[in-house]
């Protein structure tokens, strides 16, 4: 918080915003104690507002593990039990819901860490939502 007190984050001032390792810890939107919506959808909308026209927002989130992904159940157990590392795993469809609070016009796509053209997002550990402000 001290870092941003000296310089305001202005809307429409960034060409690229990249977030990896943040959304995995943020829950879906909910109301806080003051009645404000907080969570991944509202954060995505706020980050999008910081982009210049043509700017890109890239958000990574661990995908819900399957038999073909590197985060198998024994890996998750080790992380969650040993390191208290509890990630918010999401499906590609759940990641698409991040778009719900974005104002204005934009283009988007989801790709993956181990993207395979034959099976969309098969074997991926991380899904990347890329949003371009038009």
């Amino acid at each position: 918080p001290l870092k941003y007190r000296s310089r305001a984050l202005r809307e429409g001032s960034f060409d690229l915003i990249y977030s990896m390792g943040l959304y995995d810890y943020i829950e879906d939107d909910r109301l806080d104690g003051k009645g404000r919506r907080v969570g991944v959808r509202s954060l995505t909308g706020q980050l999008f507002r910081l982009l210049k026209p043509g700017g890109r927002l890239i958000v990574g989130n661990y995908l819900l593990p399957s038999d073909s992904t590197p985060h198998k159940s024994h890996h998750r157990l080790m992380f969650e039990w040993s390191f208290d590392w509890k990630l918010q795993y999401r499906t590609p469809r759940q990641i698409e819901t991040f778009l719900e609070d974005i104002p204005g016009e934009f283009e988007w796509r989801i790709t993956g860490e181990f993207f395979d053209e034959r099976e969309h997002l098969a074997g991926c550990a991380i899904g990347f939502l890329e949003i371009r402000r038009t």
Side-chain angles (χ1 to χ4, degrees), residues 78-91:
M78 178 182 69
F79 290 134
E80 292 176 9
W81 183 73
S82 301
F83 305 119
D84 196 26
W85 189 40
K86 295 179 179 72
L87 296 176
Q88 298 288 323
Y89 292 94
R90 293 184 169 94
T91 65

Side-chain angles (χ1 to χ4, degrees), residues 40-118:
V40 291
R41 288 178 201 84
S42 53
L43 174 61
T44 304
Q46 290 172 17
L47 292 175
F48 181 82
R49 287 178 186 90
L50 298 175
L51 293 174
K52 294 177 181 178
R56 294 185 187 276
L57 170 60
I58 301 172
V59 173
N61 200 115
Y62 274 104
L63 294 173
L64 192 64
S66 68
D67 290 337
S68 62
T69 61
H71 274 237
K72 298 188 184 335
S73 58
H74 60 279
H75 290 138
R76 289 178 64 194
L77 175 65
M78 178 182 69
F79 290 134
E80 292 176 9
W81 183 73
S82 301
F83 305 119
D84 196 26
W85 189 40
K86 295 179 179 72
L87 296 176
Q88 298 288 323
Y89 292 94
R90 293 184 169 94
T91 65
R93 176 65 195 119
Q94 289 171 314
I95 293 172
E96 284 179 31
T97 67
F98 298 175
L99 300 166
E100 291 175 4
D101 277 2
I102 294 179
E105 295 185 29
F106 59 92
E107 297 172 354
W108 66 277
R109 68 183 182 137
I110 294 181
T111 59
E113 181 182 7
F114 302 111
F115 186 72
D116 183 341
E117 298 267 348
R118 294 166 292 160

